[in-house]
Amino acid sequence: MAVLKNEKTGKWEVRTYYKDFTGTLKQKTKRGFDRKSDAIDWERSFKLQQDENLDMYFKDFVEIYIRDKKPRVKYNTWLTKESIIEKKIMPYFEKKKLSEIRTSDILQWQNEMMKLQTKDGKRYSQTYLKTIHNQLSAILNHAVNMYGLRVNVARRAGNMGREEKKEMLFWTQDEYQTFVEAVADKEESYIAFEILYWCGIRLGELLALTPADFDFDNNKLRINKSFQRLKGKDVITTPKTPKSNRVIYMPEFLALEVKDYITRLYGIRDYDRMFQISKTFLHHEMDRGVKLSGVKRIRIHDLRHSHVSLLINMGYSALAIGDRVGHEAIAITYRYAHLFPSIQSEMAMDLDKERTSLVGFEPKADRRKAGLANVSEKEGREESLEKSYNRFQVISGRRNRA
């Protein structure tokens, strides 16, 4: 390694050699240091990184974390992580050595986070606090799993915040129809809301749609991408989860509406986005429609909940609904369990029928509620139990063995 002063610029620079993961020797040059001491500090940090020495500063390990993790994460997800790291974590830990961060440091940092407020003077939500802590824990966990750090002190300190379930609102079919008629004067808004409600897709999935995604011969809609506005640029990404890649069958009336709409989009090509609008525009349209129609205000994402609610009321299973909206069946069951009708009483009645077919005894519904108060029913129950016991002996072979 060498620390040199560039006579032309008056700046200090470092030249060093290292071996990459293939064992190839490469040169690394870092220029632009105002002071020689800054160049020496960088040289030391770089050597610790290459040696994977945990005496490196936290900020230097974050560079390793970014190098390892960024290529494996969706772009929009990484931007969220990057913002949390730069604004909520680095200011507190960047000058600490990775191996010297203590549990008490984490607790003090948590206390500082819980004091922070948003621009409108509100404390951070419990969900956001948990997200911040999870990011710090993820960095330290990476150091434990991949680079030999002894313990994840963030995990030892315990989490801050908690997952808050957002209130799930939805419209009935009548409420939706009242709303959509109020925004029908703008065809683009009308068609957008029709697709959101009747297909249950996400807003990002809607804004990424192209004419090529529709198969009008078979009334099919293909979902394989999502639209995001990131750092002032329009970005098309993969859908939220692998399960989100799916094909949706549209009701025929909706297929006809969309087909007619596309034919009147001047100059649109197969792979052009159909909806050249922003999420903000649709939020304003939602506000306008609510004001005109008088229905309760829900979020645009709640149209997805409304679609699921409609399908549940129509009697479809969690598995079928999950395939349509791009969720696992267990997630549908967990999130919408309160909407599924209770079938426990039906189960009990069917079990009664199964037992009756085996032992020939059928309790009367009105007497069951009274707890078998009638003597004749009690006798019948005892007779059925004897039949059940005899049947058990035959099936198990005990009577024969006796």
Side-chain angles (χ1 to χ4, degrees):
M1 292 190 180
V3 176
L4 308 170
K5 188 171 186 179
N6 189 312
E7 297 301 331
K8 291 183 179 180
T9 63
K11 302 283 186 177
W12 291 88
E13 60 186 50
V14 179
R15 296 176 187 173
T16 184
Y17 290 89
Y18 69 98
K19 289 184 179 180
D20 67 10
F21 71 98
T22 67
T24 304
L25 190 65
K26 293 189 174 182
Q27 179 177 319
K28 174 76 172 180
T29 301
K30 182 72 173 178
R31 299 181 176 89
F33 297 102
D34 292 327
R35 299 177 301 178
K36 183 177 182 180
S37 59
D38 294 335
I40 292 173
D41 286 343
W42 183 90
E43 179 186 37
R44 176 181 175 277
S45 296
F46 182 78
K47 186 176 186 304
L48 290 173
Q49 282 184 327
Q50 296 306 305
D51 294 342
E52 297 179 1
N53 189 315
L54 297 179
D55 281 337
M56 74 178 83
Y57 289 108
F58 180 83
K59 66 181 180 66
D60 296 322
F61 182 76
V62 167
E63 291 181 11
I64 294 176
Y65 174 80
I66 292 172
R67 179 198 68 195
D68 292 350
K69 290 293 186 180
K70 187 175 180 179
R72 300 168 180 266
V73 178
K74 288 178 62 175
Y75 179 59
N76 53 317
T77 302
W78 181 257
L79 290 181
T80 301
K81 286 177 167 289
E82 186 178 62
S83 176
I84 291 174
I85 292 171
E86 290 179 356
K87 298 176 182 178
K88 303 298 187 296
I89 297 176
M90 290 292 280
Y92 297 87
F93 295 104
E94 63 179 344
K95 295 180 181 179
K96 281 186 170 290
K97 289 184 178 181
L98 186 64
S99 59
E100 294 179 358
I101 298 176
R102 302 168 299 174
T103 305
S104 58
D105 297 326
I106 304 298
L107 292 174
Q108 292 179 44
W109 168 75
Q110 289 178 340
N111 291 338
E112 290 299 315
M113 290 297 102
M114 289 187 284
K115 293 176 185 177
L116 296 179
Q117 298 179 345
T118 60
K119 292 180 180 179
D120 56 3
K122 295 181 180 179
R123 295 285 174 88
Y124 288 155
S125 70
Q126 293 296 307
T127 298
Y128 186 54
L129 288 173
K130 183 176 181 180
T131 301
I132 295 172
H133 176 88
N134 286 349
Q135 182 55 66
L136 175 59
S137 185
I139 294 171
L140 297 178
N141 211 41
H142 190 62
V144 170
N145 292 337
M146 300 297 174
Y147 297 96
L149 184 66
R150 188 175 61 84
V151 63
N152 180 349
V153 290
R155 179 175 292 177
R156 177 178 287 179
N159 216 329
M160 67 172 171
R162 63 183 183 277
E163 192 71 30
E164 292 178 316
K165 291 185 179 180
K166 295 181 179 178
E167 183 181 6
M168 187 183 298
L169 299 174
F170 53 88
W171 280 335
T172 64
Q173 193 172 337
D174 287 341
E175 286 176 317
Y176 168 72
Q177 196 60 39
T178 302
F179 162 82
V180 80
E181 288 173 1
V183 296
D185 57 322
K186 294 184 179 180
E187 187 178 23
E188 191 170 38
S189 301
Y190 174 81
I191 295 297
F193 285 121
E194 283 281 87
I195 296 174
L196 287 170
Y197 180 79
W198 293 108
C199 293
I201 66 176
R202 300 177 178 91
L203 180 53
E205 294 169 347
L206 171 85
L207 296 180
L209 290 178
T210 69
D213 294 320
F214 292 87
D215 174 5
F216 293 114
D217 291 334
N218 298 293
N219 293 345
K220 292 180 181 180
L221 168 59
R222 178 186 61 199
I223 302 296
N224 61 0
K225 54 191 173 294
S226 183
F227 170 84
Q228 305 284 338
R229 182 76 176 171
L230 302 172
K231 292 190 171 181
K233 296 181 180 180
D234 293 344
V235 179
I236 299 296
T237 68
T238 56
K240 186 175 182 179
T241 66
K243 182 78 173 177
S244 299
N245 285 282
R246 63 201 188 277
V247 173
I248 298 172
Y249 283 81
M250 297 179 290
E252 187 170 1
F253 77 86
L254 179 63
L256 291 173
E257 286 181 346
V258 176
K259 184 177 181 180
D260 181 62
Y261 172 71
I262 292 176
T263 60
R264 286 180 282 102
L265 292 177
Y266 178 75
I268 192 168
R269 295 168 296 184
D270 285 347
Y271 294 96
D272 291 340
R273 286 176 49 229
M274 290 168 47
F275 298 102
Q276 298 288 332
I277 53 179
S278 66
K279 293 182 179 180
T280 302
F281 171 81
L282 277 181
H283 286 300
H284 287 317
E285 284 297 277
M286 176 72 86
D287 289 335
R288 182 174 74 92
V290 167
K291 185 176 181 180
L292 290 173
S293 64
V295 299
K296 64 178 179 289
R297 178 66 162 92
I298 65 173
R299 302 169 303 162
I300 288 180
H301 191 73
D302 289 324
L303 291 174
R304 183 170 162 86
H305 297 322
S306 301
H307 182 70
V308 173
S309 172
L310 177 62
L311 295 179
I312 290 173
N313 288 334
M314 293 171 69
Y316 289 100
S317 68
L319 179 61
I321 296 171
D323 286 341
R324 184 172 178 84
V325 300
H327 267 313
E328 296 292 343
I330 190 171
I332 292 291
T333 304
Y334 177 74
R335 293 199 68 186
Y336 301 95
H338 61 292
L339 298 179
F340 281 96
S342 174
I343 60 171
Q344 291 294 328
S345 59
E346 294 179 26
M347 286 181 181
M349 292 178 67
D350 286 341
L351 290 171
D352 271 335
K353 293 176 182 178
E354 287 296 316
R355 184 170 178 276
T356 298
S357 67
L358 292 175
V359 301
F361 167 71
E362 184 175 0
K364 296 180 181 178
D366 56 341
R367 290 179 179 173
R368 277 186 294 172
K369 295 178 181 179
L372 299 177
N374 188 286
V375 174
S376 61
E377 183 169 334
K378 184 176 180 181
E379 292 173 350
R381 181 171 181 269
E382 290 173 350
E383 180 182 351
S384 69
L385 289 173
E386 182 178 357
K387 289 181 180 179
S388 296
Y389 178 69
N390 291 337
R391 182 174 179 276
F392 165 72
Q393 285 186 314
V394 171
I395 293 174
S396 64
R398 292 189 179 184
R399 177 173 293 181
N400 293 336
R401 287 197 297 269

